[in-house]
Amino acid sequence: MSNNNKLSPAVDDLDPFWLPFTANKRFKGAPKILTRSKGMYYYSDQGHEILDGTSGLWCCNAGHTRDAITEAVSKQIGQMEFSPTFQVGHPLPFKLAERLAEMSPGDLNKVFFTNSGSESADTSLKIALAYHRARGDGKRTRLIGREKGYHGTNFGGTSVGGIESNRKNFGSLLPEVDHICHTLDQSRNLFSRGMPEHGAELAGDLERVCQLHDPSTVAAVIIEPVACSGGVLVPPKGYLQRIRDICDKHGIILIFDEVITAFGRVGSAFASHRYGVTPDIITTAKGLTNGAIPMGAVLIKDSIYDAFMQGEDKSVELFHGYTYSGHPVAAAAALATLDTYQQENLFERSRELESYWEEAAHSLKGLPNVTDIRNEGLIAAIELGCRDEKPGARGYDVFTRCFHEENLLVRASGDVMALSPPLIINKTQIDILFDTLGKVIQATD
Ligand SMILES: Cc1ncc(COP(=O)(O)O)c(C=O)c1O
């Protein structure tokens, strides 16, 4: 039993739960406990209404506790709570795969279901490796990620990920992995609005890394179109197309990790549409079910799938999958979520609000300690200078003051304040969000 019981009216004992990606001791000394949600708001155990500036954790794009999603989940759980998808099937993942294939760019018409972004990332890497083997090119075993990239926390995603703190305590990770340089160039692109002007040539780093290892040994490159968890790095104009061209030149599979950027976050179904660059594989999760039930989906080009289908009918083509791949309740949540996005035109809404959002974000330029501002779609990053060589200290103070004193949920990635509200946010709420954040930044030393 801990001594912390008095700190939250809603939790008896804070001690046993080990919170992920959290300073547990600090949290348990001053917990932030959410007990309810609706629309743009969370409600805390202290009875406060908290404006959600982060869609939970980049998930709840349609806003919170949407009736249609709740009803779909309730109905399905009462009808059939689980059915395997190994050797038998049920209708919902087929329906969902069809919907996703209709929405996807190019000929990414095959869908493999997972339960999270991490599983989607690892699934995509394994499919890329197995694809090359399936077509008789088994020497392509190298995987390339990018500095500051985030692809979840499983071993594959951690290996291709490029955030130091997420890697350094976990041993040697996967072999034959390399990283290209990131695209944050603050000598040339400070306070960029949308895509930065400079840096397309940084894609050339992929050519360098390929030549270093011999391009014919490279299986896949995985990048986030907008690298969000690493501090909101918007791709420089022309960069993604150059990455695509280099992959094409060398026969390398290009994976876009769209766990955050899919489902309207950058004003289109997928970032791939927005940037006019089609990868070979897209990973998704989060917004797929509006965060209501864990689920991920990996979208795969027809020709990759076809390469696996050349053997005998009775052989299993891919020895990979999860007990809950295509889970009926998750699939019901996803179908209701996609209906909601469509009925409310939320992707278009996100695009329409983007310039208002951008103006509001950049209005914080000039405040003390604000060293850079970046934005794209309904995403913004307000970067703060590091205090006394203690990375993340100022960012944490701003986050915690926003929560406890101003009833605003923002996210601190180190000293970068990352914002990604539900796509149902209105202009008044955008004003409140940035006015409040600005006030807190001003009051924080
Ligand atoms: C781009 C990207 N990939 C993968 C993940 C991991 O997703 P999950 O936490 O659902 O495993 C995230 C999570 O933020 C992400 O942003």
Side-chain angles (χ1 to χ4, degrees), residues 414-432:
D415 288 308
V416 176
M417 309 312 299
L419 302 163
S420 55
L423 312 179
I424 59 167
I425 194 168
N426 63 35
K427 289 182 176 173
T428 309
Q429 290 158 338
I430 292 176
D431 292 345
I432 293 171

Side-chain angles (χ1 to χ4, degrees), residues 21 57-58 115-121 150-154 224 226-229 257-261 283 285-286 295:
F21 278 114
L57 200 49
W58 316 84
N115 305 290
S116 67
S118 298
E119 289 182 0
S120 290
Y150 183 64
H151 306 290
T153 51
N154 291 346
E224 303 151 87
V226 180
C228 292
S229 302
D257 186 340
E258 295 224 33
V259 164
I260 285 178
T261 53
T283 61
K286 294 194 188 261
M295 187 179 220

Side-chain angles (χ1 to χ4, degrees), residues 202-393:
L202 295 171
D205 202 41
L206 177 57
E207 186 66 49
R208 178 190 67 79
V209 171
C210 285
Q211 294 305 336
L212 185 68
H213 300 292
D214 178 351
S216 72
T217 66
V218 179
V221 173
I222 182 167
I223 53 173
E224 303 151 87
V226 180
C228 292
S229 302
V232 182
L233 278 58
V234 182
K237 288 180 183 160
Y239 172 87
L240 293 174
Q241 185 58 52
R242 287 204 198 183
I243 293 279
R244 175 72 274 182
D245 294 344
I246 295 167
C247 288
D248 285 345
K249 182 171 144 200
H250 297 303
I252 298 168
I253 296 284
L254 176 59
I255 304 166
F256 276 179
D257 186 340
E258 295 224 33
V259 164
I260 285 178
T261 53
F263 308 117
R265 182 54 55 200
V266 294
S268 49
F270 296 95
S272 170
H273 292 118
R274 165 112 195 209
Y275 299 125
V277 178
T278 307
D280 304 300
I281 300 180
I282 289 178
T283 61
T284 71
K286 294 194 188 261
L288 174 59
T289 59
N290 205 39
I293 304 279
M295 187 179 220
V298 181
L299 280 59
I300 300 135
K301 206 160 80 166
D302 287 327
S303 57
I304 294 180
Y305 177 83
D306 292 344
F308 284 88
M309 301 299 145
Q310 303 305 313
E312 288 183 44
D313 285 1
K314 63 177 191 292
S315 53
V316 173
E317 298 94 0
L318 182 67
F319 284 88
H320 177 74
Y322 304 96
T323 298
Y324 300 129
S325 287
H327 190 281
V329 181
L335 285 163
T337 298
L338 298 183
D339 285 344
T340 305
Y341 291 152
Q342 192 176 23
Q343 283 155 14
E344 300 181 8
N345 293 319
L346 288 183
F347 305 164
E348 294 77 8
R349 180 187 170 82
S350 158
R351 192 65 189 251
E352 279 159 25
L353 278 173
E354 181 171 338
S355 58
Y356 193 87
W357 171 259
E358 176 176 284
E359 278 306 316
H362 284 268
S363 72
L364 303 195
K365 186 175 177 184
L367 290 186
N369 302 314
V370 172
T371 56
D372 194 9
I373 297 174
R374 306 181 281 278
N375 69 283
E376 184 78 324
L378 285 189
I379 307 173
I382 314 296
E383 183 160 344
L384 305 175
C386 178
R387 181 204 290 151
D388 302 334
E389 296 179 21
K390 290 193 189 112

